Amino acid sequence: MTTLDRDEALTPATLPPPVGTGRPLPLRFAAPLAVAAGLALLVAFPPYGVWPLAPVGVAMLAAAAHRRRLRAGAGLGFLTGVALFGPLLAWTNLHTGYLPWVLLSLLQAGYLALLGAATAWVSPLADRVRWAWPVLTGLLWVGQEALRDRTPFGGFPWGRLAFSQDTSPLLRLAALGGAPLVTFAVALAGGLLVTAVWRGWAAARRTPQDAVSQASGPPGDTPARRWAPVAVPALVAVALTAGSLLVPVATAGSGATVTVAIVQGNVPRLGLDFNAQRQAVLNNHVDATIELAGRVAAGQERQPDLVVWPENSSDIDPLRNPAAGARISQAADTVHAPILVGAVLLGPGPGQVRNAGILWRPGAGADMSQLYTKRHPVPFAEYVPLRDVARMVSKQVDLIRSDFVPGSTPGVVRAGPAVLGDVICFEVAYDDIVRDTVIGGAQLLVVQTNNATFDVAEARQQMAMVRLRAVEHGRPALMASTVGVSGFVAPDGRVSDATGFNTREVVVRQLRLDDGRTLATRLGWWPEMTLAALAVAALVGAAVLRRRQRVMPE
């Protein structure tokens, strides 16, 4: 009889209490639970934003995979991954066809399959040590995300547990250990929940004979004492979340004040089509900036010290096209402020392009000393790795005729009134790329992005990442998008002046800059590497325990 057959043969009437029996949940319960785990995790993320469901989803997967064989654990983790990533990444399907969406979703689900297998593998440790299960759950989630964030082709960190907590008290933990610590806390809370429910189920299924036996047991074995293993983990999970409110975070910068304008010029039509209307997109941003200058002259708006345009605001290379350069100069000269322009630049080699942020100064034009080239181009979107192999899967890869080449230096842009930490689009999801700008002296985090090929759900998911980065590094931040959502973020994660989607808007705000460093900034990658190393140690420890159990005499 196979493991699956044995699981299916169990019925609620014959199923023994789960604690101490060595048996998993019946598969007919575990499979729907794994799917429900993925859906709970999905709803925790924007645009839904029901953050308490993230630890609930973690708990469901932990329960489904506990005590299973590796293959079954992997299968259940994969079910959770498909239920999560399929809908979460649906925005990749809007204008490029279903294939990229399906392949990306399945790839990401594969990492949760590894997590499910790892959860099954460490089950003996979770059963042997009463309080090990919550900690193991937290460690394995951090280890899974550390791997997913880096592989393949530099990784894809979208859908990290930390990014679901933009309105949660746990967000404040980012100031201590960045996104990895927030993920660990969410998964730890999930581990505490599954421990409480699992033990509660065991206590509720005790037979009358068990009750009589325990009633005649040693003095002090009261019902309250027997239910303590249920209540304590649940209370600790609540205390962990509520206690995060005690973590100090900055509410505003401590340095000089600067007035910043975000120009969201919008595009004629959403979709890949916007590339065919490059001049119209550039004109939209120029015209919106000139209109801002008019409101400043009329006393209706503050004079900005800096104007930020989004990624792809000039897909015509303004360094090689005099007309495009003249239009940007017209905007900068009229508004009397430098403009951080998101531009596509040709070169450096033939058939190559760069996704860049370049500072355009009034009266002087492009400041070539203050140019940031995107360090992490998106594979299969901005460049095609293994192009010949990829073409066998889909000929759509040939739509990307020129590969974007990566930059080599952090996005530290000295704009005069402020030192900017510029990251472009998906780069905000990568811990090291954002941190490098702060270490380099950035006082204000700037995310230039283009959401014209996606939708409002993707934009809100990205804004959640900006909120975490602001708290993580104690910096004011902003996101400037071609179509929305744009807005300002305070160092405590609060969003101000958020724009609508697929609209033309200009927002202006005074910000107080900051030069300090949070504990997370100083520690860098150490929290993640420590937690990931402990996850590996747990896997090794489980292997040792399993080996001892096999050689133990009957």
Side-chain angles (χ1 to χ4, degrees):
M1 180 181 290
T2 66
T3 302
L4 187 148
D5 292 333
R6 186 173 64 246
D7 289 348
E8 286 297 336
L10 298 171
T11 67
T14 61
L15 182 66
V19 175
T21 66
R23 291 183 177 178
L25 289 176
L27 193 62
R28 64 178 174 276
F29 298 148
L33 193 64
V35 174
L39 296 177
L41 290 168
L42 170 69
V43 177
F45 286 90
Y48 314 104
V50 188
W51 61 263
L53 288 180
V56 172
V58 169
M60 288 178 173
L61 176 57
H66 189 53
R67 295 176 177 164
R68 308 209 85 86
R69 296 197 177 188
L70 293 186
R71 230 180 326 182
L76 292 167
F78 189 75
L79 285 178
T80 298
V82 171
L84 167 62
F85 288 111
L88 186 72
L89 303 179
W91 44 265
T92 62
N93 183 37
L94 294 177
H95 306 290
T96 59
Y98 74 91
L99 189 59
W101 165 54
V102 170
L103 293 178
L104 181 60
S105 299
L106 292 178
L107 174 64
Q108 300 308 300
Y111 288 92
L112 287 196
L114 292 177
L115 175 65
T119 300
W121 180 254
V122 301
S123 296
L125 279 179
D127 286 333
R128 187 179 184 90
V129 183
R130 173 172 291 187
W131 292 104
W133 201 357
V135 176
L136 290 169
T137 303
L139 294 176
L140 293 180
W141 270 94
V142 173
Q144 173 265 139
E145 288 188 357
L147 182 65
R148 188 166 67 85
D149 298 350
R150 292 168 173 82
T151 59
F153 311 116
F156 186 72
W158 215 273
R160 296 169 76 177
L161 286 182
F163 297 151
S164 69
Q165 301 298 296
D166 59 319
T167 58
S168 162
L170 295 175
L171 181 70
R172 301 171 77 93
L173 296 177
L176 303 180
L181 183 60
V182 178
T183 285
F184 177 76
V186 175
L188 178 66
L192 289 165
L193 291 179
V194 72
T195 300
V197 173
W198 194 277
R199 293 183 180 278
W201 180 36
R205 291 183 59 83
R206 285 174 179 158
T207 64
Q209 291 80 2
D210 293 331
V212 171
S213 174
Q214 290 176 355
S216 61
D221 189 18
T222 64
R225 185 181 181 88
R226 290 195 300 271
W227 281 95
V230 179
V232 171
L235 291 175
V236 172
V238 173
L240 170 67
T241 304
S244 300
L245 292 170
L246 301 177
V247 176
V249 296
T251 56
S254 57
T257 299
V258 62
T259 301
V260 182
I262 299 173
V263 175
Q264 178 179 301
N266 209 7
V267 300
R269 289 188 302 277
L270 295 175
L272 296 174
D273 221 7
F274 84 94
N275 275 323
Q277 305 163 74
R278 296 176 298 168
Q279 187 64 57
V281 175
L282 174 58
N283 288 340
N284 282 357
H285 287 84
V286 170
D287 293 344
T289 305
I290 292 174
E291 290 170 9
L292 168 62
R295 293 199 299 275
V296 171
Q300 300 170 349
E301 199 66 81
R302 291 180 182 272
Q303 169 63 49
D305 299 305
L306 171 70
V307 177
V308 179
W309 287 5
E311 177 191 26
N312 295 120
S313 50
S314 180
D315 274 358
I316 304 171
D317 186 345
L319 303 181
R320 302 196 182 206
N321 187 302
R327 288 243 65 194
I328 299 173
S329 291
Q330 179 189 7
D333 294 346
T334 305
V335 79
H336 304 298
I339 302 174
L340 182 65
V341 179
V344 174
L345 307 179
L346 301 178
Q352 294 179 329
V353 290
R354 291 169 289 164
N355 192 345
I358 181 170
L359 196 68
W360 213 275
R361 298 187 184 275
D367 184 346
M368 297 302 295
S369 69
Q370 303 303 318
L371 185 151
Y372 168 62
T373 300
K374 187 176 184 180
R375 295 166 65 190
H376 198 299
V378 180
F380 304 104
E382 294 179 315
Y383 77 101
V384 182
L386 308 174
R387 187 180 286 268
D388 291 341
V389 176
R391 190 180 291 114
M392 297 177 188
V393 178
S394 172
K395 299 203 182 310
Q396 286 187 334
V397 298
D398 291 327
L399 293 174
I400 306 170
R401 296 186 179 88
S402 300
D403 285 338
F404 283 77
V405 295
S408 58
T409 57
V412 180
V413 178
R414 303 183 186 280
V419 181
L420 311 180
D422 188 23
V423 296
I424 298 177
C425 198
F426 286 14
E427 288 186 319
V428 70
Y430 296 88
D431 298 345
D432 57 336
I433 290 179
V434 181
R435 179 177 179 268
D436 285 349
T437 70
V438 178
I439 296 298
Q443 302 166 307
L444 169 64
L445 299 179
V446 174
V447 179
Q448 295 178 287
T449 187
N450 172 29
N451 308 109
T453 55
F454 305 126
D455 62 10
V456 67
E458 184 271 346
R460 295 193 184 281
Q461 290 165 18
Q462 200 167 20
M463 179 62 83
M465 301 176 196
V466 180
R467 299 178 73 172
L468 183 140
R469 298 308 179 193
V471 174
E472 179 180 16
H473 298 293
R475 291 289 188 276
L478 65 87
M479 186 164 92
S481 170
T482 46
V483 299
V485 176
S486 304
F488 296 96
V489 181
D492 62 359
R494 288 177 295 114
V495 178
S496 303
D497 302 315
T499 64
F501 190 76
N502 196 20
T503 62
R504 177 164 146 178
E505 299 187 47
V506 176
V507 289
V508 182
R509 190 171 185 84
Q510 272 194 325
L511 305 173
R512 189 172 289 277
L513 304 176
D514 206 309
D515 294 299
R517 293 186 181 180
T518 64
L519 180 61
T521 305
R522 293 195 295 270
L523 291 176
W525 55 271
W526 281 106
E528 181 180 41
M529 290 301 101
T530 300
L531 293 169
L534 289 173
V536 173
L539 294 173
V540 174
V544 173
L545 183 57
R546 283 171 172 269
R547 181 177 177 83
R548 287 178 179 175
Q549 289 175 341
R550 282 198 301 269
V551 301
M552 188 177 295
E554 295 290 338

